Amino acid sequence: MKTHDVIILGSGPAGLTAAIYAARADLKPLVIEGAQPGGQLTITTDVENYPGFEQPIMGPELMDVMKKQAARFGTEFDFATVEGVELEGPVKALHADGKTYHARALIVATGASARWLGIPSEEKLKGHGVSACATCDGFFFRDQVIVVVGGGDTALEEATYLTKFGSVVHLVHRRGELRASKAMQDRAFKNPKIKFVWNTVVTHVEGDKKVSGVRLRDVVTGEEHTLDCAGLFVAIGHTPNTEIFRGKLAMDENGYLLVEPGSSKTNVPGVFAAGDVADHVYRQAVTAAGMGCMAALDAERYLGEIGGH
């Protein structure tokens, strides 16, 4: 059975940057692309904040360019989804789609998935006014009405950030009180551009080609009404894609992988983590890419120390 120097799980900015660095170090990495090749950027339309692109670049196009760059240096790709891992010992085993892969070093860049409302109209308009990332997409809603759904720190952070662009930001929350930290609440309540819509849920996103409004239902009275808006930001949290590592790698209470400060090292020697799978604070393509670079360099050093390369 072939044993790879490095296997990278995930093909978003973290995984592909790790692949570029590992391939240039002649580690001949294998990228297992996972269920969503290209990661969350493949559901983003215009990316304006990735350095090096003066004009906006489409999310899928950016990931395609990164993949081609990694391939140019000799990265191999396999389209598979890993269902189980064995991380003890010097060689790690990964089970995916009836095959077993072996590697001396493993970089976990499986990302995180935004939690969505789960209504069909939301799915249809993702990238056309429906978003889960204010810093990615807020700029497109200058002087327009925006709706944010959620009641935690993320929702209040997104709403506060969006007041820089929108004429008004309606924060829709299904309860009568927020669960965000007091400091975040104080800041939001003082912001004249944020309007709170309590005890309310979104039942439908209006619009054909792009968002034109949201249908709201009061959970106390059952009454429904439509609120006109240009953007809907869903801020009900993210779920890191770490289920297969539960009980095998150290993680926080929300499932994000824990790494040694200033490095990408997990608690298991030879296993490294990069991108949104270990970062619930920044969640940007450029920070994920930076972490991917760190993971590849850490893996290269590790292999040098154990004599694997």
Side-chain angles (χ1 to χ4, degrees), residues 8 73 81 92 111 135 183 188 197 223 230 279 283-285:
I8 299 162
F73 295 116
T81 303
K92 321 301 176 191
T135 45
V197 186
E223 286 177 26
D279 168 29
R283 295 201 310 268
Q284 298 299 302

Side-chain angles (χ1 to χ4, degrees), residues 16-76:
L16 293 180
T17 304
I20 290 165
Y21 273 79
R24 290 185 77 249
D26 200 28
L27 298 178
K28 300 178 178 57
L30 169 68
V31 172
I32 299 178
E33 295 192 73
Q36 190 179 3
Q40 292 183 81
L41 274 191
T42 55
I43 55 166
T44 305
T45 47
D46 287 355
V47 178
E48 292 192 318
N49 55 5
Y50 198 85
F53 296 91
E54 183 190 357
Q55 299 302 321
I57 182 168
M58 299 288 278
E61 187 188 349
L62 177 60
M63 298 322 299
D64 188 50
V65 170
M66 275 197 201
K67 182 175 178 179
K68 285 174 176 162
Q69 188 178 359
R72 182 163 74 85
F73 295 116
T75 302
E76 288 180 59

